[in-house]
Amino acid sequence: MEKLVIEGGNTLKGKVKVSGSKNASLPIIAATILCDGEYKIDNVPNLRDVRTLLKLLSLLDIEPSFNGNEILLKNKNDDAFEAPYDLVKTMRASILVLGPLLAKRRKARVSLPGGCAIGERPVDQHIKALKQMGANINIEHGYIVAECDRLKGADIYFDLVTVTGTENVLMAAVLAEGKTTIYNAAIEPEVIDLANFLKKMGAKIEGIGTKTITVYGVDSLSPANYSVMNDRIEAATLMCAAAITGGDVEIEGVPQECLTTVFEKLSETGVSIDFINDKRVRVSSTGRLKAADVTTQVYPGFPTDLQAQFMALMCVADGVSVITETIFENRFMHVAELKRMGADIRLKDRSAVVNGVEKLSGAHVMASDLRASASLVIAGLVADGETHVHRIYHLDRGYERFDEKLNSLGAKIKREENGV
């Protein structure tokens, strides 16, 4: 197992490029189940989660090959339909094969998912919706076992906003008989990217980017080539890294239309953000940042996937900030690790009260999930001495060459074996 050893105190300067979005790539890759033939998906980050999904697709007789950040996929028109526990347990997004398997192959056996330990993320909304569309679904021995004749269009009302639920039903609906309307749909940019890919395959979808999506089912689709959107969370994480070090970094490939709330909040802390063009942003800061309160919300609110990184920033800001997590009930596990580095944080219900300190000190810390690992790396950039971040397999699930990118900007980070 590997760890990162970070020597703090280095200012980040230079230029860096944002990778493609993991959270957009995964459903788009899963959607290739819907149609036989060959696909070319570009701008895909070479990440552990992506490779896990490709292994799963190979079990479903869809042959993948990686060439840089381009994936070639050949759907061989087989009838395999099982997503086994050994793969699904490591990545919750594996549930995304359920909808397209039912829509195309009329049956599915998908292990109940795992992934980051950030709280309950039940799939009951997925199951309820697919049952409404005519699927017969049971939970047997830890698996979702489902079958159907052709799915039927239905009015789907989500009790709460669910990104993967919206994506699963969207993929199921494009081959269903008749009209499906999804109410209280997620409007995240990654959902829009999936919908645009499905439309390129020949799907008929209206209301993309709104809370009500209407899908008119078609009899068949065609393979398509597609370029995945850039990763908005990676872009924002790089902004936090530049800001905490008092750096001056030009970030290329920033999906600016997706990050308005983040830009506003970083500006509130004293970070300078200059928009060079519609895809390039310069982030700089001088002097100590100011504390700012944050409440995570569904898109377009402040993203829960940036909460931990922003908290690292607030650990050394001037003043007291209150960070409230409304999406996941167990997403403060990084707090204990940040406190090991000298942060002054007090938890109260679903909020963290952060009293900014003058400086952090390097320590051995352990990543509990993907975004927590990024926050510990960010904190380590300004901590005195060395910070050892263990269990970085979480980081590698969602950030492509993150340590290499930071090193290119002047950070001093080594990847070593024997992490805890």
Side-chain angles (χ1 to χ4, degrees):
M1 197 176 292
E2 292 182 318
K3 66 177 178 179
L4 292 183
V5 181
I6 306 167
E7 181 183 322
N10 297 287
T11 302
L12 300 189
K13 292 184 178 180
K15 298 181 180 180
V16 68
K17 187 175 182 180
V18 178
S19 296
S21 167
K22 180 198 80 161
N23 288 341
S25 296
L26 296 177
I28 287 170
I29 292 170
T32 64
I33 295 171
L34 291 166
C35 177
D36 311 331
E38 298 186 6
Y39 301 78
K40 182 171 71 175
I41 312 298
D42 195 20
N43 200 36
V44 178
N46 192 340
L47 297 170
R48 183 188 295 261
D49 274 8
V50 172
R51 294 192 296 271
T52 297
L53 184 58
L54 293 180
K55 287 180 184 177
L56 175 52
L57 287 193
S58 68
L59 296 179
L60 299 172
D61 289 299
I62 298 175
E63 180 182 309
S65 62
F66 237 130
N67 180 21
N69 291 110
E70 179 182 276
I71 294 179
L72 301 177
L73 294 144
K74 295 181 181 179
N75 187 331
K76 299 177 180 179
N77 186 26
D78 207 316
D79 57 1
F81 60 90
E82 181 167 336
Y85 170 76
D86 284 347
L87 285 177
V88 177
K89 69 179 180 181
T90 65
M91 185 182 69
R92 184 180 186 275
S94 302
I95 192 67
L96 288 167
V97 303
L98 177 61
L101 280 175
L102 274 173
K104 176 63 176 174
R105 301 183 183 181
R106 310 290 171 89
K107 61 174 85 172
R109 187 171 187 266
V110 180
S111 175
L112 289 167
C116 284
I118 58 177
E120 286 295 322
R121 296 189 286 180
V123 295
D124 60 305
Q125 297 285 303
H126 306 234
I127 293 171
K128 181 177 119 178
L130 292 169
K131 281 183 175 180
Q132 286 179 254
M133 298 175 73
N136 179 26
I137 302 178
N138 294 294
I139 307 298
E140 299 176 3
H141 309 292
Y143 279 79
I144 302 168
V145 180
E147 61 181 1
C148 64
D149 294 323
R150 185 180 181 184
L151 292 172
K152 308 288 186 182
D155 289 339
I156 306 298
Y157 296 84
F158 282 125
D159 298 326
L160 47 86
V161 177
T162 163
V163 173
T164 52
T166 300
E167 292 167 341
N168 237 336
V169 173
L170 187 56
M171 288 186 282
V174 294
L175 288 179
E177 181 181 344
K179 182 177 79 170
T180 299
T181 304
I182 306 171
Y183 297 94
N184 198 25
I187 61 172
E188 271 74 0
E190 296 79 11
V191 176
I192 297 172
D193 217 30
L194 170 63
N196 287 334
F197 174 62
L198 293 171
K199 286 189 70 174
K200 200 168 182 183
M201 292 173 66
K204 296 181 179 180
I205 306 171
E206 296 177 354
I208 297 172
T210 74
K211 290 184 177 297
T212 303
I213 301 175
T214 302
V215 184
Y216 299 91
V218 297
D219 291 332
S220 63
L221 299 168
S222 301
N225 300 333
Y226 197 75
S227 184
V228 175
M229 67 175 286
N230 282 350
D231 195 314
R232 61 190 173 105
I233 302 300
E234 184 198 337
T237 301
L238 289 167
M239 290 181 214
C240 289
I244 201 170
T245 66
D248 189 343
V249 176
E250 190 174 303
I251 306 173
E252 181 183 344
V254 179
Q256 296 175 18
E257 67 280 2
C258 308
L259 292 170
T260 302
T261 307
V262 174
F263 291 142
E264 291 174 354
K265 192 55 62 174
L266 286 175
S267 296
E268 188 179 328
T269 70
V271 176
S272 176
I273 301 174
D274 298 313
F275 300 96
I276 298 172
N277 57 36
D278 61 352
K279 294 184 178 179
R280 189 171 297 175
V281 170
R282 180 182 176 188
V283 178
S284 58
S285 65
T286 57
R288 194 175 179 190
L289 299 175
K290 296 177 290 186
D293 297 340
V294 153
T295 299
T296 63
Q297 298 174 328
V298 296
Y299 185 84
F302 193 90
T304 180
D305 279 352
L306 197 64
Q307 177 255 108
Q309 300 91 306
F310 190 81
M311 184 183 295
L313 206 60
M314 292 299 93
C315 284
V316 291
D318 183 20
V320 178
S321 57
V322 179
I323 299 175
T324 303
E325 175 59 56
T326 69
I327 308 299
F328 296 119
E329 75 279 1
N330 197 26
R331 207 167 199 179
F332 281 142
M333 288 189 287
H334 48 280
V335 168
E337 304 305 302
L338 289 170
K339 290 174 74 171
R340 286 176 56 80
M341 300 175 69
D344 183 354
I345 308 171
R346 177 171 52 88
L347 292 178
K348 183 179 181 182
D349 299 323
R350 299 192 72 159
S351 294
V353 181
V354 185
N355 184 18
V357 297
E358 289 284 345
K359 61 183 179 180
L360 299 173
S361 58
H364 284 259
V365 291
M366 191 173 297
S368 56
D369 62 72
L370 169 56
R371 307 306 174 182
S373 61
S375 76
L376 298 176
V377 172
I378 289 171
L381 292 174
V382 293
D384 284 345
E386 284 189 348
T387 299
H388 295 241
V389 182
H390 298 271
R391 293 188 179 176
I392 59 167
Y393 59 85
H394 289 294
L395 186 76
D396 293 338
R397 283 185 49 234
Y399 289 93
E400 184 179 42
R401 300 182 294 104
F402 191 56
D403 50 330
E404 294 177 29
K405 290 184 180 183
L406 293 176
N407 282 339
S408 74
L409 298 172
K412 291 186 178 180
I413 305 175
K414 295 182 296 182
R415 186 175 284 252
E416 296 183 355
E417 293 292 336
N418 299 321
V420 174

